[in-house]
Amino acid sequence: MMPSPPPESSLSLRPDEVHLWVVEPERISEPQLLAAYHAMLSAEERERHSRFRFDKHKLQFLVSHALVRVTLSRYAPVQPQAWRFSVNAYGRPEISGEGLPRLRFNLSHTDGMAVCAVVLDTDVGADVEHSGRPGQTVELADSFFSRSEVQALRALPVERQRERFFDYWTLKESYIKARGAGLSLPLDQFAFHLEPGQPPRISFDARLVDDPETWQFVQVRLSPEHPAAVAVRRARGLPLTVRCQRTVPLAGDGTPWFVPGS
């Protein structure tokens, strides 16, 4: 598969939209395509890429960072390799440069899946997890979740607890990533409330200063083993649409835009 030219800047975003671009890194193996991805990385990204010990993690890093660059070039007349980024005190990358659209983005990747969320001029966080991964899951809730979340989780039948754990985990990760503060925000100081047929709601205890009415959250299941969540700083009650697009950077897109839950 020959890499195609970067797409022309033709997409636009409304304030009530999140575009979620989705790729499966492990399905990409064409040497020319991977070489094109590597060529668009910055020197700092290439150095980070070289430090990964395992090929799987090298591939995930390479494809996911190419995804960011190619995706942003869909919205602005900038070549993928020309994007420059700065990071805040907690390592969250932001677009660096003047005269560019007010784009904000967030990247998440795990075994089998990477996602890049793009919005216009507001805070956004995205998280995707591999629910089939080995190791502890539900057992971690007692140490990291709020009391109300632990109670709600443990009240479910045992066979449903693992799925609900990842519902909470992806939502929590999306929120702390949208805040740009990482794990400096203790996970037990905010709680999600999940009710059938209703969007997730967040609440905060007295130690964490934030307004729950300024956040919206959307849950997405990208595959049977890949739950995801998106957090957007947008007043609760205002319209919000998340549109998903599967893609292979530089090589074409999958099925047309789909809206989770539609």
Side-chain angles (χ1 to χ4, degrees), residues 12-27:
S12 60
L13 275 164
R14 302 195 312 262
D16 64 346
E17 282 187 327
V18 181
H19 289 177
L20 191 66
W21 294 84
V22 182
V23 65
E24 298 175 71
E26 285 83 348
R27 292 181 177 269

Side-chain angles (χ1 to χ4, degrees), residues 35 43 63 164 217 223 253 258:
V63 174
R164 180 54 57 91
F217 301 89
S223 85
D253 300 333
F258 65 93

Side-chain angles (χ1 to χ4, degrees), residues 1-98:
M1 181 185 299
M2 289 290 293
S4 59
E8 295 183 0
S9 172
S10 60
L11 290 179
S12 60
L13 275 164
R14 302 195 312 262
D16 64 346
E17 282 187 327
V18 181
H19 289 177
L20 191 66
W21 294 84
V22 182
V23 65
E24 298 175 71
E26 285 83 348
R27 292 181 177 269
I28 301 174
S29 59
E30 294 83 353
Q32 289 177 306
L33 198 55
L34 297 176
Y37 295 166
H38 193 269
M40 70 177 64
L41 299 182
S42 67
E44 185 270 341
E45 287 170 324
R46 291 176 191 171
E47 197 276 330
R48 288 167 60 196
H49 176 257
S50 71
R51 293 204 302 263
F52 286 101
R53 179 179 178 184
F54 298 107
D55 289 343
K56 176 178 72 173
H57 298 144
K58 283 180 176 287
L59 180 64
Q60 291 171 0
F61 180 94
L62 178 63
V63 174
S64 62
H65 284 73
L67 173 68
V68 168
R69 290 174 171 276
V70 173
T71 294
L72 292 176
S73 291
R74 297 174 183 267
Y75 302 91
V78 178
Q79 290 295 307
Q81 66 272 18
W83 289 101
R84 295 294 178 263
F85 306 101
S86 59
V87 296
N88 71 4
Y90 302 97
R92 181 177 70 174
E94 303 284 354
I95 295 169
S96 179
E98 298 181 357

Side-chain angles (χ1 to χ4, degrees), residues 15 25 39 52-53 57-58 63 66 83 104 114 119 160 180 197 205 212 219 247 249 251 257:
F52 286 101
R53 179 179 178 184
H57 298 144
K58 283 180 176 287
V63 174
W83 289 101
R104 302 286 295 278
V119 297
R160 292 183 54 197
D205 73 18
Q219 293 173 281
T247 188
W257 291 99

Side-chain angles (χ1 to χ4, degrees), residues 60-187:
Q60 291 171 0
F61 180 94
L62 178 63
V63 174
S64 62
H65 284 73
L67 173 68
V68 168
R69 290 174 171 276
V70 173
T71 294
L72 292 176
S73 291
R74 297 174 183 267
Y75 302 91
V78 178
Q79 290 295 307
Q81 66 272 18
W83 289 101
R84 295 294 178 263
F85 306 101
S86 59
V87 296
N88 71 4
Y90 302 97
R92 181 177 70 174
E94 303 284 354
I95 295 169
S96 179
E98 298 181 357
L100 297 172
R102 303 185 312 275
L103 297 172
R104 302 286 295 278
F105 72 94
N106 198 239
L107 173 68
S108 178
H109 61 83
T110 187
D111 287 353
M113 197 74 67
V115 299
C116 178
V118 185
V119 297
L120 187 64
D121 203 25
T122 193
D123 291 326
V124 65
D127 186 58
V128 62
E129 298 290 340
H130 180 224
S131 63
R133 72 189 188 195
Q136 289 185 318
T137 54
V138 176
E139 299 81 4
L140 297 175
D142 295 329
S143 299
F144 294 103
F145 288 5
S146 71
R147 181 177 301 178
S148 65
E149 289 168 333
V150 173
Q151 291 173 342
L153 178 65
R154 296 298 189 182
L156 292 172
V158 172
E159 63 272 15
R160 292 183 54 197
Q161 290 182 11
R162 185 180 179 89
E163 179 179 355
R164 180 54 57 91
F165 170 86
F166 281 104
D167 288 339
Y168 284 132
W169 190 267
T170 53
L171 286 164
K172 283 178 171 292
E173 284 282 332
S174 72
Y175 171 70
I176 64 175
K177 293 178 72 179
R179 284 283 304 268
L183 289 174
S184 69
L185 297 178
L187 297 180

